[in-house]
């Protein structure tokens, strides 16, 4: 049996709202509700009235990964606004407290503790892996219910070295190991490839996690990984690595990197004549405009959500924010908020006081044993607090990602 912990020492982390101007970094926050302007009053008066339940939504709204943070925050906020418009939870409105951690782990912890000072009873966040690891460690001291929409490192919810589950932390997305294994299975079992190469950013939990697990699984199935190439943060010239890969003659290349790097890698691969298919993980979400149809021919990547699979969500997002949802992080944010609210409803049904230790534990217990009927699929949680659900495999219609199949 895995050990469960509710307190941990703080450890150093490894290694959209409609207008970003309405949100601040850790020097402040924006509190909003969907249904009424009264619910946007100060945190203190709202808490005193007992009319609201405070939920933190944390992510990068500025900086290099803001495209992910804004999507998660918008998706999460949309769901909670819909709950408020339907009367809230137990007659109470959800008060959304948002902060910008700028993609930085130290800032993320500072933002989280400020949210706790303002009286949040649960957290949607963080977004990318390194800040989420830092917040997860800090959150244990508060036993704060925490659901990350998108952080994929296994250590977010489970410490393999000590065989302990982070009891208060859950995720709506699948893990790095899951993605690497899933894409190895798809490459070998579905696409029939037996010789693969890998190119990945070194020193990053996400990229290395997918790469390592792809290699292990692909070889365990009987495939051969003919080459593994890495590059450093900030590199823009990948031709040396790609030329080496070309010389090894792979049938396919696994490229578990974020879409900005992927676009450059695909363009440079084409320029040197490396014209084999490329595969990726959910970091490819947002690749539109960064690669051409020729470069994406026979390419596949795994994702939590496929465009067009939930028109109600997509239409509601556009109506709320005036634009189409930007990437798969928005529906994950929606489902993360749905998960948090699922737990809050259970605590409210027990008549507990929002923000109390008993209330937070009731939220955690409900999530751990619950079934979430999300827009990225219906899911439960396994012993490591990871969602149990299928994966969307996306291919490309020209340069536009489309659902190939659930796998």
């Amino acid at each position: 049996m895995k050990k469960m912990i509710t307190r941990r020492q703080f450890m150093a982390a490894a290694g959209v709202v409609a207008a970003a101007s309405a949100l601040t970094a850790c020097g402040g926050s924006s509190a909003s509700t969907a249904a009424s302007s009264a619910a946007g009053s100060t945190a203190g008066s709202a808490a005193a009235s007992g009319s609201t339940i405070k939920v933190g939504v944390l992510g990068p709204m500025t900086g290099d990964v803001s495209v992910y943070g804004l999507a998660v925050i918008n998706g999460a906020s949309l769901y909670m606004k819909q709950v408020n418009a339907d009367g809230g939870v137990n007659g109470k409105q959800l008060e959304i407290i948002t902060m910008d951690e700028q993609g930085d782990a130290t800032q993320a912890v500072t933002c989280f503790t400020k949210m706790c000072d303002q009286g949040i009873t649960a957290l949607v966040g963080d977004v990318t892996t390194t800040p989420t690891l830092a917040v997860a460690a800090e959150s244990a001291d508060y036993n704060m219910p925490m659901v990350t929409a998108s952080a994929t490192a296994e250590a977010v919810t489970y410490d393999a070295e000590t065989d302990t589950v982070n009891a208060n932390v859950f995720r709506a997305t699948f893990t790095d190991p899951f993605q690497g294994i899933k894409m190895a299975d798809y490459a070998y079992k579905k696409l029939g490839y037996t010789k693969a190469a890998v190119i990945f950013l070194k020193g990053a939990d996400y990229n290395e996690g997918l790469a390592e697990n792809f290699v292990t699984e692909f070889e365990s199935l009987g495939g051969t990984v003919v080459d593994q190439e890495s590059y450093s943060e900030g590199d823009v010239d990948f031709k040396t690595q790609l030329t080496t890969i070309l010389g090894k003659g792979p049938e396919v290349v696994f490229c578990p990197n974020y879409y900005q790097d992927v676009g450059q890698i695909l363009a440079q691969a084409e320029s040197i004549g490396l014209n084999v298919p490329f595969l990726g993980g959910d970091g490819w979400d947002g690749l539109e405009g960064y690669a051409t149809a020729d470069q994406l021919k026979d390419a596949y990547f795994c994702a939590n959500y496929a465009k067009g699979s939930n028109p109600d969500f997509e239409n509601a997002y556009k109506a709320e924010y005036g634009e189409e949802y930007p990437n798969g992080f928005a529906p994950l944010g929606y489902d993360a908020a749905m998960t948090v609210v699922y737990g809050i409803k259970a605590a409210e049904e027990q008549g507990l006081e929002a923000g109390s230790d008993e209330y937070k534990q009731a939220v955690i217990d409900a999530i751990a044993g619950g079934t979430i009927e999300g827009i990225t699929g219906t899911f439960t949680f396994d012993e490591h607090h990871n969602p149990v659900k299928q994966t969307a495999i996306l291919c490309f219609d020209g340069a536009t990602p489309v659902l190939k199949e659930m796998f």
Side-chain angles (χ1 to χ4, degrees), residues 312-330:
D312 288 344
F313 160 75
E314 294 174 24
N315 292 337
Y317 189 99
K318 187 171 184 178
E320 180 68 29
Y321 301 112
E323 60 186 12
E324 293 187 358
Y325 81 98
N327 52 54
F329 286 71

Side-chain angles (χ1 to χ4, degrees), residues 8 10-15 26 57-66 68-69 73 99-113 115 123-140 146-153 155-157 166 168-171 176 203-207 258 329:
R8 296 174 62 185
F10 174 74
M11 62 182 190
C26 293
V57 185
L58 178 63
M61 292 173 274
T62 57
D64 293 341
V65 291
S66 60
Y68 304 123
I73 291 166
M99 289 190 184
D100 176 15
E101 43 82 314
Q102 302 172 332
D104 179 80
T106 301
Q107 283 274 33
V109 171
T110 300
C111 288
F112 169 72
T113 56
M115 286 180 169
L123 176 70
V124 177
D126 205 328
V127 173
T128 57
T129 289
T130 300
T132 305
L133 286 168
V135 174
E138 185 75 0
S139 72
M146 172 178 165
V147 181
T148 173
S150 48
T152 53
V156 166
T157 62
N166 300 339
N168 64 301
V169 185
F170 302 83
R171 77 176 100 227
D176 294 344
D205 292 326
Y206 171 82
N207 312 65
Y258 288 110
F329 286 71

Side-chain angles (χ1 to χ4, degrees), residues 240-309:
T240 298
Q241 295 94 325
L242 294 169
T243 299
T244 301
I245 289 173
L246 176 63
K248 299 295 180 66
E251 299 168 325
V252 65
V253 177
F254 185 53
C255 182
N257 305 300
Y258 288 110
Y259 65 91
Q260 301 98 322
D261 287 354
V262 174
Q264 295 185 73
I265 289 170
L266 291 175
Q268 292 175 33
E270 183 182 48
S271 72
I272 67 166
L274 179 58
N275 296 318
V276 300
F278 277 66
L279 308 179
D282 64 347
W284 281 36
D285 206 341
L287 188 57
E288 288 179 270
Y290 287 81
T292 67
D294 285 344
Q295 293 161 5
L296 293 166
K297 185 179 180 181
D298 298 324
Y300 296 88
F301 70 99
C302 63
N304 286 273
Y305 182 82
K307 186 174 184 179
S309 60

